[in-house]
Amino acid sequence: VSTPLTEPATEGLDPEQRRNLQQHRLRRLVQRLLETGGVQAARLRDCGVERGVDVSLEELHELPFVTKQDFWEYYPFGLRAAPEDDIVCVHGTSGTRGRPTLAPYTAHDLDVWSRVMARALGGAGATRRSTVHSAYSYGLFTGGLGVHHGATRLGATALPAAGSATDRQARLLLDLRPDVLCCTPSYALYLGESLRYTGITPDQLPPRVGLFGAEPWTEEMRLEIEQLLGLEALNIYGLTEIIGPGVACESLDSAGMLNIAEDHFYPEVVGPDGVPLPEGEAGELVFTTLTKTGLPLLRYRTGDIASISGPVPDSPRTLRRMTRVLGRRDDMLVIRGVNVFPTEIETVLLTDPRVAPHYVVVEDRRDPSHPELRVGVEQHSPAEDTETLERDLAVALRERLGITCVVRVLEPNRLPRAEDGEKPEKGSPRPI
Ligand code: ADP
Ligand code: K
């Protein structure tokens, strides 16, 4: 199948011309950052880039990175580049470390976002006649409004179904007959299983295609979702710092990889030392926002591991593609769309005097529709009331992380000590 291009002039642009466009936009970005001042400008000056100095795409790798730490350090809006008056909305990620990562958008940024999301939906076969059933929640989280902006921009009908119970979702699906479904892959599984339980079969479900993202998922999950919901499941990727969903997305004709909206978000892949890797090698994704004005970022380190390849040969789509996210650079876990840093868990546990500094965190994805975080922790003395302690820790973890964890308090000395010198086997629970 080949799906029509929503923006033929950009999605189908000759790669050499696209590179010229990216080059032009990079120059503009660097000048904008220098004019704005602030930390990104200071770092540019530190490496000799002053106003009027020309930076080419070939030299991009010599420029400094922006990291998640910068967002925390310059919270809330220290990285903002547009005047406050020009900001029209704010989004943010699930707040770990007590503060969320905030992204201010200008009207221009919203336009960019709508366009890349419209393209993503178009690549999945959506048209002006489509109804897009979206169960991504609306809020600071970018999922809900991202899909909404894209669907309305495309001229389709957005159906904001988030937050409805399964029977309501089923009603909307059967009565309004949406052809596109958008939600997290874990919710897609949950929905599919619940619908099956109520006796609704995949062939009764109108969506032909689904865009699923905001958390990692596997090929096995794809097959399961496709069977449960009777649709073609496509992967959509993005992060709030860059724009939200729509940074990259599979299309029906992208052969299992995600088309990168590289005319807006210039991708690089770097190794652990920060040095760029050749095409096809897996490493950390780094994006430069070429067109954003509210929160323009030069070389933002995503922490997400993937590799990049060229477009499908002879395809009208000429954008480069990325693999699915293969893992995370740090230990950040993404549970039900919420980003969780193991160091946060440690902080909570070690604050409680009843707890010994020996614990294990397991990302339990045995039931892919309900991924869970399990925390096992040793108590100081076996006399403690374990039920109360488990409940207290679960409350404290919920407050700090924003998700519910299953806490098990263990007797002293139950957990293996790191002195064993043994590394856990691949695929085994991750002790931290
Ligand atoms: P939130 O927690 O509110 O979703 P983020 O914007 O920080 O906020 O989430 C972005 C992160 O989610 C990405 O950096 C990536 O780790 C993960 N993510 C998003 N989409 C996908 C996807 N399709 N596959 C795997 N991971 C994804
Ligand atoms: K996420």
Side-chain angles (χ1 to χ4, degrees):
V1 227
S2 168
T3 21
L5 309 186
T6 307
E7 283 185 1
T10 51
E11 291 174 273
L13 193 64
D14 170 70
E16 202 174 310
Q17 273 177 283
R18 179 176 297 116
R19 199 163 166 85
N20 291 340
L21 179 72
Q22 289 165 329
Q23 176 64 75
H24 169 75
R25 289 178 168 174
L26 175 65
R27 287 194 181 111
R28 219 176 41 186
L29 167 70
V30 169
Q31 295 314 311
R32 181 179 307 126
L33 290 173
L34 288 170
E35 279 159 29
T36 310
V39 60
Q40 291 196 80
R43 287 183 193 160
L44 279 171
R45 288 201 195 92
D46 283 349
C47 52
V49 181
E50 297 284 349
R51 228 182 266 202
V53 169
D54 193 27
V55 176
S56 70
L57 282 170
E58 287 72 29
E59 294 162 324
L60 180 61
H61 70 272
E62 294 167 25
L63 300 186
F65 293 114
V66 177
T67 65
K68 189 84 170 175
Q69 267 64 38
D70 292 319
F71 274 83
W72 287 326
E73 195 162 324
Y74 301 99
Y75 176 88
F77 293 130
L79 295 170
R80 187 180 68 200
E84 205 176 338
D85 284 5
D86 291 347
I87 301 303
V88 297
C89 73
V90 176
H91 281 279
T93 71
S94 18
T96 37
R97 313 213 170 171
R99 38 192 168 174
T101 301
L102 296 178
Y105 296 65
T106 60
H108 174 263
D109 299 335
L110 278 190
D111 187 59
V112 168
W113 196 14
S114 310
R115 290 165 73 143
V116 295
M117 280 305 295
R119 276 191 214 171
L121 289 162
T127 66
R128 291 174 56 81
R129 283 185 304 280
S130 293
T131 294
V132 180
H133 182 118
S134 172
Y136 280 117
S137 63
Y138 285 61
L140 270 186
F141 173 56
T142 49
L145 279 158
V147 170
H148 197 103
H149 292 317
T152 51
R153 174 68 177 238
L154 188 65
T157 302
L159 176 55
S164 304
T166 315
D167 54 344
R168 175 74 77 84
Q169 301 278 356
R171 261 288 122 255
L172 292 171
L173 285 166
L174 297 178
D175 294 352
L176 301 186
R177 311 198 62 74
D179 49 336
V180 183
L181 175 67
C182 298
C183 58
T184 59
S186 53
Y187 186 76
L189 277 181
Y190 168 80
L191 182 65
E193 279 160 4
S194 314
L195 292 173
R196 170 187 280 182
Y197 185 74
T198 57
I200 298 170
T201 54
D203 55 296
Q204 290 176 282
L205 292 168
R208 293 175 294 99
V209 64
L211 290 188
F212 306 115
E215 64 183 6
W217 52 310
T218 59
E219 266 323 299
E220 292 73 45
M221 275 175 85
R222 188 193 319 249
L223 291 177
E224 221 172 314
I225 292 171
E226 290 185 336
Q227 281 165 12
L228 278 168
L229 293 169
L231 46 68
E232 194 155 337
L234 302 179
N235 196 345
I236 182 161
Y237 166 83
L239 61 167
T240 311
E241 296 91 317
I242 298 303
I243 198 95
V247 173
C249 187
E250 278 182 284
S251 54
L252 290 171
D253 52 5
S254 67
M257 289 178 77
L258 294 79
N259 308 304
I260 305 169
E262 58 165 321
D263 47 337
H264 295 290
F265 316 115
Y266 187 82
E268 296 172 85
V269 171
V270 303
D273 50 3
V275 175
L277 297 172
E279 191 173 284
E281 272 185 44
E284 182 179 358
L285 283 169
V286 171
F287 287 102
T288 295
T289 65
L290 294 174
T291 50
K292 262 184 17 167
T293 55
L295 183 70
L297 296 177
L298 194 66
R299 308 195 76 212
Y300 182 66
R301 289 185 82 142
T302 64
D304 294 323
I305 306 295
S307 72
I308 294 181
S309 321
V312 177
D314 301 322
S315 165
R317 284 173 212 282
T318 56
L319 294 164
R320 283 183 288 167
R321 296 170 302 153
M322 60 176 253
T323 59
R324 67 171 60 244
V325 173
L326 307 169
R328 294 272 322 160
R329 176 177 52 97
D330 49 34
D331 281 328
M332 187 184 89
L333 310 170
V334 188
I335 304 285
R336 303 193 290 276
V338 177
N339 307 344
V340 178
F341 291 85
T343 48
E344 294 292 294
I345 301 174
E346 175 171 301
T347 306
V348 172
L349 297 177
L350 299 191
T351 313
D352 195 304
R354 293 167 291 181
V355 163
H358 301 289
Y359 63 94
V360 62
V361 176
V362 178
E363 193 183 8
D364 182 355
R365 291 187 183 269
R366 282 174 301 180
D367 174 1
S369 70
H370 193 73
E372 264 185 337
L373 209 55
R374 296 176 168 271
V375 179
V377 60
E378 285 183 15
Q379 56 187 341
H380 262 309
S381 68
E384 299 283 0
D385 173 357
T386 53
E387 261 176 51
T388 311
L389 181 51
E390 281 171 0
R391 208 172 36 236
D392 292 350
L393 290 173
V395 169
L397 285 167
R398 212 204 130 77
E399 264 171 25
R400 179 95 179 197
L401 310 174
I403 59 160
T404 307
C405 307
V406 180
V407 181
R408 282 288 160 269
V409 169
L410 311 167
E411 284 165 21
N413 288 312
R414 275 293 300 281
L415 291 172
R417 300 297 191 248
E419 294 90 77
D420 299 354
E422 274 191 11
K423 277 204 177 165
E425 287 209 33
K426 235 181 158 183
S428 70
R430 317 186 183 201
I432 292 147

